[in-house]
Amino acid sequence: MVAFILRRLLQAIPVLILSSIVVFLIIRVVPGDPARVVLGLDASEEELAAKRSELGLDQPLPVQYFRWLGRVAQGDLGNSLVNRFPVAELVRDKLPATLELAIASFLLSVLISLPLGIFAALYAGSWGDYLTSVVAAFYLGTPNFWIGMLYIMLFSVFLGLLPPSGRVAFFDDPLLALRHLALPALTLALPAAMVQMRFIRATMLDVLGQDYIRTARAKGLREQTMVLRHALRNTLIPVVTVLGIQFGNLLGGAVIVESLFAWPGVGRMLVDSIGNRDYAITQAGLLYLVGLFIVVNLVVDLLYGFIDPRTRRGGS
Amino acid sequence: MNPSRPMSRRSALRLLSGAGASLLLAACGSSSSSTSASTSPPASGGQTASGGVLRIAEISNPRTFNPLRQNNFWSWGAIYDSLLRYNPAGELVPHLAESYTISEDGTKVSIKLRSGVKFHSGREFSSEDVAWVFEKLKEPSTGALFRTFALAVVDIETPDATTINLTFEKPEAGILDLLGNFYIPDKEIYDDLDRKGGGTGPFEFVEFIPDEKVVLKRNENYWGAKAALDRIEVQIFGDRQAATANLESGTIDIVPLTLQDYVRLSEGNAYQTPKIIGASMFNIWLNTTYEPFSDKRVRQAMAFALDRERFNSTILLGQSQATCNPLPSHHWGFIPDLDTTYAFNLDKAKALLEEAGYPNGFEVSVNVSSQSREGMGMVQILQSDLEKIGVKLTIDAKDEPRWAEAADRGEFQINMHAYGRTSADPSLLFKGTTAWRPDANPTGFADPAYLEHINAQAEVIDREQRKPLLKKLIEYVQDQSFVIPIAGSVTAYGVANKVKGLELLPVGIVAYMEIVSLS
């Protein structure tokens, strides 16, 4: 197992280097001058040239890249081109918020999708199944920001139950932290849960039609045991793959929700940095996302082995 | 004034406008050789703090806390003091400067500074700090908007700690604007000013967490009347409507509003909704190096084809004023006679195109920022109107940095834009902003006569003598029509009723934070 993990981590290094080159080049190919962002539209060409020189942007691209890579190898992600904050410090500050929101919404989505998906599969064609389909269609067809805005208006403005924005660190005040987390987590979790629910339903229906399930039923196995021990376990193998992708999306794709709820996460920082052509932050942020996807994929692979011993044996 | 009671908003404004009046009297009465102004400092201890935390919403991070840079941030007036400052009537009154004198020929300015002023670090403020700021303003990498004026200073003398003498090569009316925007940061933390602030102002910088908040606290050692508030917390949102929902749920006290929210919230009495028209001016640039626009008549045709009233009534929800003037109506240099020079008239536009040899129109594209709701709206109106006179307009929408780069490099045929500094001295507007600068203008427009017009009005300090020269300049730019004003922007705030004493400056930012209090 340890050898497997180490091998996968080593495989990640070329992926990270390749990603760093692609990211470095892509954001520089996109027109837009960080010096102009810093100094504003009214800056003269002389002022812009001085700022570019100060930011090291007047150097050839290979020189810029290897300087940056050299610093990254030593753990220095550089400074923001706009406000000069150390990027490593920024990522370190934003990461807990992003992880907190991603984990909370992921757990919430699993808690919602798993029972609903099983229910919809077991009672396929019933009014309950249709109802879950309608709810899923609503959440999947409605933009996140609109749903979030609706939650704010309902739970914060009209009912005054939950704070509409901001984040409190969990260890500072757990209850208040959960209250702040509730609306953004719910906004993110429900659409994700609907995707997962539909997938679980379809997979479970497929599994329930398999011969071994018919055999189990014929043997007189209790329905509950048959569902939990046989159907669900086999359903989970493809579901884990989807959950892994969903978790990755939650880690990097919560941008709109972070903006809406003033949640200080990495996604929002990344999007701001693209708008500002703040290369240092964009590079570090995207590398962080690539790194996280690698870790999530690794965890998914490990989970396969746990759920299905056959893959573990194959792996070893 | 009873020292145990908070200074009322009215008292505070009286103090500020009284100082303004003294300046005005001094300026108007300058049949003598020089212009000068002075005011006595606000009574120390004249105001007792009422406390509380003011929560302000911002939609994006401050890009810097460096007040010498071009990019604006409302907290400058809270963290920093300027030598002069604008009172609510838009007049400049002494602030860190106790008084100043401008010589008869307009080339020398002598400034007497307040004594006993300290930076937040505890260091004594002196004339050396002012001289240092002038030097920083001159450096290209500072990116200072007022560099044009700072470069005009040929000699700086600091005979003592509270006196500074400036000598200019020639008279420069814009010097008062420079002094009014001359915020003085603590030079000892200058290298860190992109991420933290430090000056002599009524509030001290506490922390800035990007995408999260900026926190300021009351400066207990402030040289003037101490601020009423204990703290100011700025929460940084990424979404304007979410910020407004926070105002409505009571978690935020001041929010910059969208026009839709402004109209909605200003209907009742639940909130205060101050607004400023014309902090920036929507306009289009025409690239004079592009063949149809190299002909002045085609440019004038475009000016007639702009339906400013429709833009105001539909996109700006009727909250602004359509104008052909480069300056907003509240500016002293606003010329009412020139406000309708190019009133919407497609027949005149068509006639001018025919006269210029384009009876069947032509094809053209407009560079516009996709992030500007107003800009996108205006170019769609223009597109439909130009079609009626045979001009096919293609909308080329880009994200903000790409749009800005294309605009500044002159890589456009038409550019949709909004220029700021409209409340500043006209010299700054015409010399210092990209839209109007006479040299290296991105529209490609170059004419020695233009610079002569700018300089002619800039060298006259007295406003009454200056106005006819300014009118000539505006007539000239209207005739040339390389930049065509459309309407003033609308800057609006939603403010909780418990907030007292809030004022907006003509530049559209919240001002005089020391007199703001919570009831």
Side-chain angles (χ1 to χ4, degrees), chain B residues 302 305 364 381-391 393 414:
Chain B
M302 298 299 289
V364 69
I381 292 173
L382 186 62
Q383 188 182 42
S384 93
D385 288 329
L386 286 180
E387 201 176 354
K388 293 172 192 161
I389 55 171
V391 177
L393 180 70
I414 302 176

Side-chain angles (χ1 to χ4, degrees), chain A residues 31-33 36 38-39 41-42 46-47 51 84-85 94 149 164-165 260 264 268-269 272 275-277, chain B residues 63 69-71 140 147 194-195 210-212 235-237 241-242 246 249 399 401-402 405 408 417 434:
Chain A
D33 183 356
R36 188 174 306 289
V38 174
L39 297 181
L41 190 61
D42 291 330
E46 186 190 7
E47 290 165 332
K51 183 52 72 179
R84 313 304 297 157
F85 267 97
K94 307 292 174 202
M149 207 63 207
S165 65
L260 193 61
R268 193 173 149 204
M269 178 187 79
D272 284 351
N276 286 333
R277 301 295 188 269
Chain B
R63 285 189 174 149
R69 285 262 177 84
Q70 295 183 16
N71 288 309
R147 182 164 177 253
D194 282 337
R195 48 186 167 144
D211 293 333
E212 209 167 324
Q235 195 171 339
I236 298 156
F237 290 82
Q241 284 169 323
N246 275 261
S249 70
D399 79 336
R402 286 174 59 215
E405 189 160 282
D408 200 50
H417 179 249
T434 304

Side-chain angles (χ1 to χ4, degrees), chain A residues 3-19 290-291 294-295 297-298 301:
Chain A
F4 171 72
I5 294 172
L6 281 176
R7 195 168 63 240
R8 291 295 301 268
L9 288 176
L10 282 175
Q11 283 169 357
I13 292 173
V15 175
L16 279 171
I17 290 177
L18 198 65
S19 306
V290 172
I294 289 170
V295 172
N297 275 337
L298 180 62
D301 284 353

Side-chain angles (χ1 to χ4, degrees), chain A residues 38-39 47 50-51 54, chain B residues 66-71 133-145 147 190:
Chain A
V38 174
L39 297 181
E47 290 165 332
K51 183 52 72 179
E54 185 188 312
Chain B
N66 185 343
L68 310 187
R69 285 262 177 84
Q70 295 183 16
N71 288 309
V133 171
F134 268 105
E135 294 308 321
K136 292 305 287 186
L137 287 173
K138 290 179 181 181
E139 288 176 15
S141 62
T142 303
L145 176 69
R147 182 164 177 253
Y190 186 76

Side-chain angles (χ1 to χ4, degrees), chain A residues 105-251:
Chain A
S105 45
F106 179 73
L107 291 178
L108 203 56
S109 73
V110 173
L111 283 175
I112 294 167
S113 64
L114 206 56
L116 279 182
I118 295 169
F119 169 83
L122 290 178
Y123 299 96
S126 68
W127 64 267
D129 181 29
Y130 288 129
L131 185 65
T132 55
S133 295
V134 169
V135 173
F138 170 76
Y139 275 104
L140 292 174
T142 314
N144 252 359
F145 68 87
W146 191 81
I147 299 260
M149 207 63 207
L150 215 62
Y151 290 159
I152 291 176
M153 296 311 288
L154 180 66
F155 293 108
S156 304
V157 177
F158 293 119
L159 300 176
L161 293 176
L162 293 166
S165 65
R167 172 181 179 257
V168 171
F170 189 79
F171 294 106
D172 289 350
D173 186 339
L175 192 63
L176 191 60
L178 287 175
R179 281 166 53 80
H180 276 271
L181 185 60
L183 290 185
L186 199 64
T187 307
L188 270 181
L190 280 171
M194 296 305 123
V195 174
Q196 291 156 210
M197 184 199 73
R198 300 300 294 166
F199 191 77
I200 291 168
R201 178 188 178 276
T203 314
M204 189 115 186
L205 270 179
D206 186 45
V207 170
L208 288 172
Q210 297 292 317
D211 289 347
Y212 62 87
I213 296 291
R214 200 170 58 238
T215 308
R217 279 202 174 112
K219 276 168 45 184
L221 207 64
R222 281 199 315 147
E223 188 71 8
Q224 192 182 346
T225 314
M226 186 270 298
V227 169
L228 292 177
R229 291 195 58 186
H230 296 277
L232 183 60
R233 195 150 188 184
N234 283 300
T235 300
L236 282 180
I237 299 167
V239 167
V240 163
T241 310
V242 171
L243 291 181
I245 294 168
Q246 289 278 60
F247 187 64
N249 287 340
L250 289 173
L251 281 169

Side-chain angles (χ1 to χ4, degrees), chain A residues 25-43:
Chain A
L25 289 177
I26 281 178
I27 56 172
R28 281 166 174 77
V29 167
V30 178
D33 183 356
R36 188 174 306 289
V37 173
V38 174
L39 297 181
L41 190 61
D42 291 330

